[in-house]
Amino acid sequence: MEEIQMFYNTSPSGSDTDDSRFSTASSPPKRKQKVRTKARYSIYNLNPLPPPPSELDQIPDALIPPSHAGRKRTFPHVEGNFPSYVNIPVPVTLGARNVLESLLGKASSMMPQLRGMDDDIVVSFKRRDTTSRSNADSGIQLAKEFHISLSRTVPIRVHQIDTLIPLLRHKFESQKRFWIEFGRWEIYLNDDRSRTFLGLEVVSGGLSDIRRQIALVTEAYKLHGLPPFYDTPRPHISLAWALGDVSSDAQRVADELNELCGNSMDYGTGIVNVLWSFLFGRVDCKVGQQLYPIWVASTASHT
């Protein structure tokens, strides 16, 4: 480094810096300039560096933002728009988490491409075989948070926030607490069928109350020109997902999990065992990264 600084600090105009080391009494000034030029030029003519290792060609998916691990936007990004949705946060007890992790381990062994809901960006190499992703150590990782959607995820403008949030709070003013029960494993597809989800559906406990809440949110959305929820709501929490429409494979997984839980194979009829339940106590609206509480019970508890 000192040598490089020496060449860069050498005056190119022949000024009275310390140039005596390059000259003799009989050397003309041009000779001094020529020597310095050769010395400086030689710095940039070093032997070429070896090529980078081939592993660098295998770029991790997490470093490629446009791909989003194969996911697609449900609507195009527009400056000033914020994705928003209304939901019920779902706490999961330690006992329920242990049961879910065991069942999802079975799901992972049957369908290795399933990912946990927090596993949206997989740090792995582009040349990997996604169907051989190892889950042997811990299976599908449970997300940190779960929720029941009361609306679609839709884009709203900044000025709509100031009216949508107060209106939602007004509609939920008379809300009471109730128990929500989960029991049946089902599969779901997003609107463009680019992802398949495996989840637990709300059974008898709390189902009618949640559908009433969805109707309240839909009323507020319509007043703001926002699309309503699905015609036949199926309240649930999503626990795992896979790219594309792989509903046939996912359905086999759901059927196996229902059998392990002792549930009837006929949807809407027969026996459905409650896997776990919790006492509903909150409704939120998430707009972009901002969370707006819509209704919060005075005390929250769950089993």
Side-chain angles (χ1 to χ4, degrees):
M1 180 62 68
E2 292 178 355
E3 293 178 356
I4 295 176
Q5 289 178 341
M6 177 187 72
F7 287 114
Y8 278 105
N9 291 335
T10 301
S11 172
S13 60
S15 61
D16 56 351
T17 55
D18 186 13
D19 294 334
S20 59
R21 55 183 174 273
F22 295 108
S23 63
T24 63
S26 59
S27 299
K30 288 184 179 180
R31 181 61 178 173
K32 291 195 296 182
Q33 181 65 29
K34 187 174 181 180
V35 171
R36 289 201 307 273
T37 303
K38 281 186 176 181
R40 187 187 300 115
Y41 181 75
S42 65
I43 296 173
Y44 300 99
N45 282 273
L46 301 175
N47 293 330
L49 294 172
S54 59
E55 289 81 1
L56 293 182
D57 293 333
Q58 304 177 18
I59 305 173
D61 288 343
L63 301 181
I64 310 177
S67 69
H68 295 282
R71 295 175 298 128
K72 299 178 181 178
R73 290 183 180 273
T74 54
F75 44 84
H77 172 71
V78 177
E79 189 69 27
N81 280 3
F82 296 90
S84 66
Y85 63 95
V86 183
N87 70 88
I88 297 173
V90 177
V92 183
T93 63
L94 179 59
R97 292 188 73 90
N98 291 336
V99 173
L100 290 176
E101 286 174 352
S102 176
L103 292 170
L104 289 175
K106 175 64 175 178
S108 177
S109 68
M110 296 180 63
M111 193 173 173
Q113 64 266 44
L114 283 172
R115 304 172 179 177
M117 297 305 296
D118 283 348
D119 191 16
D120 273 358
I121 298 179
V122 180
V123 181
S124 52
F125 292 118
K126 289 179 68 177
R127 296 179 188 174
R128 79 192 189 289
D129 178 6
T130 55
T131 61
S132 64
R133 188 169 60 92
S134 174
N135 292 281
D137 293 336
S138 55
I140 299 169
Q141 294 295 312
L142 281 180
K144 295 179 181 178
E145 300 176 352
F146 296 99
H147 68 265
I148 300 170
S149 294
L150 301 180
S151 74
R152 294 174 184 257
T153 299
V154 298
I156 67 171
R157 305 292 294 177
V158 175
H159 68 273
Q160 292 178 306
I161 300 175
D162 295 335
T163 54
L164 178 62
I165 299 302
L167 180 57
L168 288 170
R169 288 171 175 167
H170 172 71
K171 287 185 173 294
F172 279 84
E173 277 181 348
S174 60
Q175 180 65 59
K176 304 296 182 182
R177 307 189 74 181
F178 56 87
W179 287 92
I180 298 177
E181 298 175 336
F182 297 95
R184 175 174 290 281
W185 293 89
E186 292 294 339
I187 65 167
Y188 312 89
L189 288 167
N190 60 355
D191 290 338
D192 62 3
R193 307 181 78 86
S194 63
R195 289 211 287 176
T196 304
F197 297 86
L198 176 67
L200 268 176
E201 200 154 294
V202 176
V203 290
S204 56
L207 185 57
S208 59
D209 295 285
I210 295 175
R211 286 176 173 167
R212 184 185 64 82
Q213 292 177 331
I214 290 173
L216 293 176
V217 175
T218 296
E219 291 173 4
Y221 268 39
K222 284 183 176 179
L223 290 175
H224 288 78
L226 302 174
F229 204 49
Y230 303 100
D231 293 335
T232 306
R234 297 170 58 191
H236 66 278
I237 58 170
S238 296
L239 295 168
W241 67 277
L243 285 176
D245 183 351
V246 289
S247 51
S248 58
D249 291 338
Q251 187 61 60
R252 284 192 290 270
V253 173
D255 291 343
E256 177 67 19
L257 297 183
N258 279 320
E259 186 173 352
L260 290 173
C261 294
N263 295 333
S264 170
M265 303 305 289
D266 297 326
Y267 181 80
T269 61
I271 299 173
V272 177
N273 292 321
V274 176
L275 196 60
W276 104 90
S277 61
F278 80 99
L279 185 58
F280 154 77
R282 185 182 183 97
V283 175
D284 290 330
C285 180
K286 190 169 185 179
V287 181
Q289 299 299 316
Q290 183 68 40
L291 191 67
Y292 295 89
I294 301 302
W295 179 85
V296 180
S298 56
T299 57
S301 63
H302 56 81
T303 62

